[in-house]
Amino acid sequence: MKIRREMESLAVSKMRNIMLLPRQPVPGLTVETLDHGRFDLAGEDAGFATLVVFYRGLHCPICATYLKELGRLTADFAEKGVNTIAISSDDADRARQMADKVGHAGLRFGFGLPLTVAKDWGLYISTSRGTTSIGIEEPALFSEPGVFLVKTDGTLYFASVQTMPFVRPHFQEMVGALDFVQKNDYPARGEYTGAV
């Protein structure tokens, strides 16, 4: 009985998502985009950072509302040296439908995110529950939301990973925080990995 519990515990720990660490390099990230060619995070030419927003997919009405805010603020982020991209595991057709809903041509939409890469980034994976409240079928598997601010040197500055579509970081607040961060050369926090 004890051995069985230990084996189950080990299996669960192997399934846990990876936790990315501030000030450390993030995993590679390359996806096709709808209108901006191939996105490769390693090749981004941002003045300060790239804001990578992983969203659930076309089936998620909360994602559409959230990405409208990101689209509206994309120019404000750009003024602060931050590039933006929204990425999902949806195919090109579903990504195009979401981009049309969002209606901000300046916001890049990446599609076809492999779920193995989503897991590398520490995103949670959900299974389909069928048709959503807006009448769109959920994919069999898809990632839950995650927001990552990645510095130009490829290290993590900020991360928020969720198990649910609700209660996400506010982009307007992030735009405002960038003034303080850049003026004070504020370091990424949460970097400590030693004993506590």
Side-chain angles (χ1 to χ4, degrees):
M1 188 65 143
K2 181 181 176 188
I3 293 173
R4 181 177 176 194
R5 266 188 259 131
E6 287 175 2
M7 287 177 67
E8 287 172 354
S9 176
L10 180 61
V12 168
S13 69
K14 282 184 177 179
M15 289 188 300
R16 285 197 181 118
N17 288 13
I18 296 167
M19 184 171 71
L20 303 185
L21 293 172
R23 305 184 194 175
Q24 298 301 313
V26 297
L29 181 59
T30 305
V31 293
E32 294 299 327
T33 70
L34 293 176
D35 301 311
H36 300 92
R38 191 168 182 77
F39 170 84
D40 183 349
L41 182 58
E44 278 291 279
D45 187 22
F48 179 72
T50 299
L51 182 62
V52 179
V53 178
F54 294 103
Y55 70 98
R56 302 171 85 223
L58 176 66
H59 64 277
C60 177
I62 296 170
C63 294
T65 301
Y66 193 57
L67 294 178
K68 284 178 185 179
E69 182 193 14
L70 178 60
R72 183 177 58 80
L73 294 170
T74 288
D76 295 338
F77 278 113
E79 286 178 14
K80 301 192 184 308
V82 176
N83 294 344
T84 59
I85 187 165
I87 301 173
S88 77
S89 57
D90 276 349
D91 62 22
D93 179 59
R94 286 171 67 104
R96 175 65 66 196
Q97 290 179 63
M98 180 61 94
D100 290 347
K101 270 189 194 183
V102 170
H104 289 279
L107 176 59
R108 293 178 291 177
F109 275 84
F111 61 88
L113 176 72
L115 293 179
T116 53
V117 174
K119 288 190 75 136
D120 288 345
W121 279 76
L123 300 179
Y124 291 91
I125 309 297
S126 289
T127 58
S128 176
R129 295 190 68 229
T131 303
T132 64
S133 62
I134 57 173
I136 297 174
E137 188 77 19
E138 290 183 346
L141 295 173
F142 59 91
S143 66
E144 291 296 338
V147 177
F148 298 83
L149 192 60
V150 181
K151 298 285 295 275
T152 54
D153 64 1
T155 61
L156 180 65
Y157 186 78
F158 166 88
S160 175
V161 177
Q162 296 171 254
T163 62
M164 287 287 216
F166 317 109
V167 193
R168 305 182 197 194
H170 295 280
F171 294 124
Q172 185 68 59
E173 186 178 338
M174 291 176 72
V175 168
L178 284 167
D179 289 330
F180 176 84
V181 162
Q182 293 173 346
K183 179 181 175 187
N184 296 287
D185 195 24
Y186 194 80
R189 305 309 306 268
E191 78 286 358
Y192 181 74
T193 59
V196 292

